[in-house]
Amino acid sequence: MIESKMIVAINEQINAEFYSAYLYLSMASYFESKNLMGFANWMRVQAMEELTHARRFYAFLSSRSARIILTAIDAPPIEWTSPLHVFEEALEHEHKITASINSLMNLSMDLRDHAMTSFLQWFVTEQVEEESNVDAVIQSLKLVDNQAAGWFLLDKDLATRAFLPPVGLTI
Ligand code: OFO
């Protein structure tokens, strides 16, 4: 049994995760337009991860016999002033997602929905990693003083990020 309030909130989170994928794909395209293919790769991998986040919520709702209601996804921004600006906006976005995961956690606890609380714990931990991954790139960009020569070196590093499909999660 899952409360309708909880179903609505999780459906909103599914939309937020798809928006995250949209946002990171838009950022990837920005980097491709600047010929920074390693940065673009990092963002495409991030977008793939976001799709798996949406899928996790989808699968969990479905396993509890609740409907998934897909709604329109907002258009993401398309322009930024520098790679640092892109990653600063990515971090700001992740802070918002962390806040929404924390709200879901609070709701599940208020409703005494222990199965949901247990499921959401994965996302609480994941958000720590999400913020830390973005912040690591911000620190590197600050270290190279947001200069083109530094972008070139960092680009090679970010090109090595690979998407690892989560075990046991089918799309
Ligand atoms: Fe789904 O964690 Fe980022 O947005």
Side-chain angles (χ1 to χ4, degrees):
M1 171 65 188
I2 179 167
E3 299 255 0
S4 56
K5 235 201 276 191
M6 195 79 241
I7 297 173
V8 169
I10 297 292
N11 270 307
E12 283 170 3
Q13 188 62 32
I14 289 174
N15 182 285
E17 300 292 347
F18 278 124
Y19 175 78
S20 297
Y22 252 37
L23 175 65
Y24 294 131
L25 276 178
S26 185
M27 289 173 167
S29 176
Y30 165 83
F31 283 124
E32 280 161 22
S33 75
K34 305 289 177 201
N35 212 25
L36 289 167
M37 296 307 184
F39 281 89
N41 171 67
W42 194 100
M43 284 296 174
R44 280 196 308 273
V45 170
Q46 189 59 35
M48 290 294 287
E49 287 208 358
E50 299 301 348
L51 293 177
T52 67
H53 294 170
R55 177 66 181 121
R56 268 179 205 274
F57 281 111
Y58 179 114
F60 190 70
L61 269 195
S62 182
S63 73
R64 296 187 69 191
S65 307
R67 275 300 308 275
I68 291 89
I69 309 292
L70 297 175
T71 51
I73 304 166
D74 289 341
I78 56 170
E79 284 301 339
W80 292 271
T81 55
S82 67
L84 181 59
H85 185 213
V86 177
F87 275 87
E88 283 174 339
E89 290 217 337
L91 185 57
E92 197 181 308
H93 177 69
E94 287 306 327
H95 286 158
K96 284 188 200 149
I97 294 294
T98 298
S100 64
I101 296 288
N102 288 341
S103 299
L104 290 174
M105 189 58 127
N106 293 341
L107 181 61
S108 75
M109 291 194 288
D110 288 349
L111 297 172
R112 308 268 196 277
D113 186 340
H114 301 297
M116 184 62 80
T117 302
S118 167
F119 166 74
L120 287 170
Q121 190 57 54
W122 184 91
F123 282 95
V124 171
T125 307
E126 174 72 1
Q127 279 312 117
V128 174
E129 194 186 314
E130 292 277 275
E131 290 186 16
S132 151
N133 287 345
V134 178
D135 193 49
V137 181
I138 290 177
Q139 296 317 315
S140 299
L141 282 165
K142 286 185 175 166
L143 215 59
V144 301
D145 205 16
N146 206 25
Q147 296 296 307
W151 297 345
F152 181 72
L153 290 175
L154 200 48
D155 194 61
K156 292 201 177 317
D157 188 32
L158 299 183
T160 61
R161 187 181 188 194
F163 174 66
L164 301 173
V167 178
L169 189 70
T170 54
I171 298 288

